[in-house]
Amino acid sequence: MLDLVIRDADVVDGSGADSYRADVVVDNGRIVAIVREAAAAGCQRPSAMRELDAEGLVLAPGFIDMHAHSDLALLRDPDHSAKAAQGVTLEVIGQDGLSYAPVDDRTLAEVRRAITGWNGDGDDIDFDWRSVGEYLDRLDRGIAVNAAYLIPQGTVRALAVGWEDREATPEELDRMRQLVAEGLEQGAVGMSSGLTYTPGMYAKDAELTELCRVVASYGGYYCPHHRSYGAGALEAYREMVELTSEAGCALHLAHATMNFGVNKGRAPKLLALLDEALASGADISLDTYPYTPGCTTLAALLPSWASEGGPEAVLARLRDEGTAERIRHDLEVTGSDGCHGVPMEWDTIEISGVSDPALAEYVGRRVPDWPTARRLLLADRLGTTILQHVGHEENVRAIMRHPVHTGGSDGILQGDKPHPRAYGTFPQYLGTYVRELGVLSLEECVAHLTSRPARRLRLPDRGLVREGYRADLVLFDPRTVAPGSTYEEPRRLPTGIPYVLVDGRFVIEDGRRTDVLAGRAVRRTPAP
């Protein structure tokens, strides 16, 4: 007997084509048969050990979160309903140039401190890996959903060069090339950068180009959080397009937004830039989340010179009155490069989480001024996360319509009051931007969330409802699917997504999380 037949589903197969009604048969983790219009055809219908009536539900490929920060959450929280309940069956982690492999003991300690605001300190994690391959092997012990990994360029630079603002020596550049190559050989799908975060931001274009040449030679892609989403946004996008063109490397633009007042209504200029590059043969894609506020750490807003040397050096500068005044001037007058070249408007900054529970009273508050921000940075030892209310709805809608767009939550799960995108991105697309606003058709939106990211990741058997493909599937009610998460209650789970399967096994059943851990590391497919 076969494992499962899903009867009378409205199949939206991920290709962008019109939906159709079908019975879909799953066995041994794969889709083994699709019988269209089975009820009306009068033929013998497939049978299996389990039959699921999908009347009124859409069956789609599982959603792929192209920008996730679940690097430790996947290990810490076997439930992981934040993503599983959204219909996410694959996350891409190792984002923004900072993660936990490859490392040595020194670099691991530094990285843990630097991104405490994203993932927590990790004192509850057994860091029994150092290489990319060892980290992927750790994921293979069983996780809630699948995960692919990007080599974090900032971590690579910290390992080979350190946290200083200087050019790499030829020997250090060779070491970085070697680390990137090893990570790709061990299964990473590409490389990420955080070019407003230390130490990755200290890399000049020539250095990044050399690393991208290595990525290209393995058929991977480059995923930069580029140097500005504010005053220099268009120039920063153009820099990445030209850099990857020179390297011959595929480009995926992380959380491709146009933020701050200087970019209101300027999304068409970004899209024109991308269209010109695509017409010339560039291989480009992008991801966005369907919300206007951003989310990062409070420390990320500091100028790059103040962040040189790592977390302890930053804290020392914040303690010094003269240096702290210089930081304030850069933030409020000049426009810090950490804040994308835009002079700080403190009322746009909302505290979303703190590392020290004694500071919980700050969560949900706006930051009124620099003295408050400074005190909080010191007291929380740089572990504070924030929402930054600087986005524009017209830009969000314009960018999500683009043919190379994919969905990415940029979901930071850490903090008492995280951004609702961490729990709501995918139902937000389906409920708000498809059903309520009509910005995308259902078939088009599902393609953005499934086959397009699978194509970027070069996964030959995911992202479509097709015979022979892996049974990573989601069933949702198009009439009721909606995010539960709000800015006031960001950890509420979505509605209207009763079933999610990973590798043919139910991780969400009747709207509840099962105890199944069917996820594994999804490794790079070798270049043809």
Side-chain angles (χ1 to χ4, degrees), residues 8 22 55 77 83 93 182 189 214 221 290 373 401 409 482 495:
D8 295 320
E55 181 70 38
D77 176 20
K83 294 301 179 66
I93 56 178
E182 288 174 353
V189 296
V214 178
Y221 69 93
R401 292 188 184 103
S409 71
T495 57

Side-chain angles (χ1 to χ4, degrees), residues 79-367:
D79 181 77
H80 205 48
S81 289
K83 294 301 179 66
Q86 294 185 59
V88 171
T89 58
L90 170 60
E91 298 182 279
V92 185
I93 56 178
Q95 299 285 353
D96 293 332
L98 288 167
S99 189
Y100 306 95
V103 292
D104 56 16
D105 292 350
R106 172 190 61 82
T107 306
L108 175 60
E110 293 166 343
V111 169
R112 286 175 62 181
R113 286 288 312 283
I115 53 176
T116 293
W118 294 356
N119 297 310
D121 175 72
D123 54 3
D124 54 343
I125 300 292
D126 179 10
F127 288 91
D128 59 352
W129 69 86
R130 292 296 180 268
S131 71
V132 169
E134 289 168 347
Y135 176 65
L136 299 182
D137 289 344
R138 175 70 179 274
L139 298 178
D140 276 341
R141 298 180 197 174
I143 48 180
V145 302
N146 298 306
Y149 189 71
L150 294 167
I151 301 164
Q153 171 258 330
T155 301
V156 167
R157 197 172 212 272
L159 183 55
V161 180
W163 296 75
E164 294 78 33
D165 183 1
R166 64 173 177 82
E167 291 190 23
T169 66
E171 294 76 18
E172 290 166 341
L173 182 56
D174 283 343
R175 175 64 173 145
M176 286 190 282
R177 288 194 192 97
Q178 178 188 1
L179 290 166
V180 171
E182 288 174 353
L184 290 159
E185 289 170 358
Q186 292 164 12
V189 296
M191 181 180 75
S192 75
S193 281
L195 299 179
T196 64
Y197 301 126
T198 56
M201 68 191 307
Y202 300 139
K204 301 294 191 292
D205 283 2
E207 178 180 313
L208 296 172
T209 300
E210 287 304 307
L211 299 183
C212 282
R213 292 188 200 279
V214 178
V215 175
S217 71
Y218 285 89
Y221 69 93
Y222 181 43
C223 180
H225 163 128
H226 51 273
R227 298 191 195 275
S228 176
Y229 290 83
L234 283 177
E235 293 76 11
Y237 281 113
R238 185 174 291 108
E239 175 190 10
M240 295 298 101
V241 170
E242 293 175 352
L243 184 156
T244 50
S245 175
E246 173 69 19
C249 186
L251 172 64
H252 180 84
L253 295 164
H255 38 60
T257 57
M258 293 287 285
N259 288 338
F260 301 92
V262 295
N263 286 317
K264 184 176 176 61
R266 298 188 76 200
K269 292 184 179 294
L270 166 61
L271 300 180
L273 168 66
L274 299 182
D275 285 339
E276 181 181 358
L278 290 162
S280 70
D283 182 1
I284 300 174
S285 55
L286 58 87
D287 66 67
T288 69
Y289 47 84
Y291 298 87
T292 53
C295 181
T296 187
T297 62
L298 184 58
L301 306 181
L302 300 175
S304 57
W305 63 262
S307 299
E308 184 181 2
E312 290 301 327
V314 178
L315 291 167
R317 293 185 183 102
L318 287 168
R319 292 186 193 101
D320 180 78
E321 293 294 337
T323 309
E325 172 57 23
R326 183 182 167 199
I327 293 172
R328 183 206 64 78
H329 186 273
D330 271 16
L331 284 167
E332 297 181 351
V333 180
T334 306
S336 161
D337 51 1
C339 196
H340 308 278
V342 178
M344 179 63 64
E345 297 177 359
W346 288 110
D347 62 354
T348 67
I349 307 301
E350 178 184 354
I351 302 302
S352 60
V354 292
S355 294
D356 185 347
L359 302 169
E361 64 182 283
Y362 286 93
V363 175
R365 295 184 184 178
R366 299 291 176 119
V367 176

Side-chain angles (χ1 to χ4, degrees), residues 62 65 161 312 445 517:
D65 188 342
V161 180
E312 290 301 327
C445 183
L517 296 176

Side-chain angles (χ1 to χ4, degrees), residues 271-481:
L271 300 180
L273 168 66
L274 299 182
D275 285 339
E276 181 181 358
L278 290 162
S280 70
D283 182 1
I284 300 174
S285 55
L286 58 87
D287 66 67
T288 69
Y289 47 84
Y291 298 87
T292 53
C295 181
T296 187
T297 62
L298 184 58
L301 306 181
L302 300 175
S304 57
W305 63 262
S307 299
E308 184 181 2
E312 290 301 327
V314 178
L315 291 167
R317 293 185 183 102
L318 287 168
R319 292 186 193 101
D320 180 78
E321 293 294 337
T323 309
E325 172 57 23
R326 183 182 167 199
I327 293 172
R328 183 206 64 78
H329 186 273
D330 271 16
L331 284 167
E332 297 181 351
V333 180
T334 306
S336 161
D337 51 1
C339 196
H340 308 278
V342 178
M344 179 63 64
E345 297 177 359
W346 288 110
D347 62 354
T348 67
I349 307 301
E350 178 184 354
I351 302 302
S352 60
V354 292
S355 294
D356 185 347
L359 302 169
E361 64 182 283
Y362 286 93
V363 175
R365 295 184 184 178
R366 299 291 176 119
V367 176
D369 49 32
W370 166 241
T372 303
R374 180 190 176 196
R375 286 196 304 272
L376 191 54
L377 286 164
L378 285 167
D380 208 26
R381 295 185 61 79
L382 312 182
T384 305
T385 53
I386 61 168
L387 302 185
Q388 198 167 11
H389 295 269
V390 292
H392 306 286
E393 179 64 21
E394 66 270 35
N395 287 349
V396 170
R397 296 189 192 189
I399 293 169
M400 75 168 61
R401 292 188 184 103
H402 196 273
V404 301
H405 170 267
T406 67
S409 71
D410 197 11
I412 295 175
L413 302 171
Q414 187 71 13
D416 295 325
K417 197 178 180 185
H419 196 303
R421 68 193 185 193
Y423 285 73
T425 286
F426 295 87
Q428 175 84 337
Y429 271 117
L430 297 168
T432 302
Y433 287 92
V434 172
R435 183 182 64 244
E436 295 179 8
L437 299 175
V439 175
L440 298 169
S441 71
L442 179 60
E443 290 84 356
E444 183 181 13
C445 183
V446 169
H448 286 221
L449 307 181
T450 59
S451 64
R452 289 186 188 174
R455 190 161 54 245
R456 165 54 68 217
L457 295 167
R458 296 178 61 245
L459 302 176
D461 58 356
R462 300 178 194 264
L464 293 168
V465 179
R466 290 281 194 277
E467 292 182 1
Y469 274 56
R470 290 184 178 273
D472 292 348
L473 301 167
V474 56
L475 286 133
F476 62 89
D477 186 338
R479 300 160 298 184
T480 63
V481 61

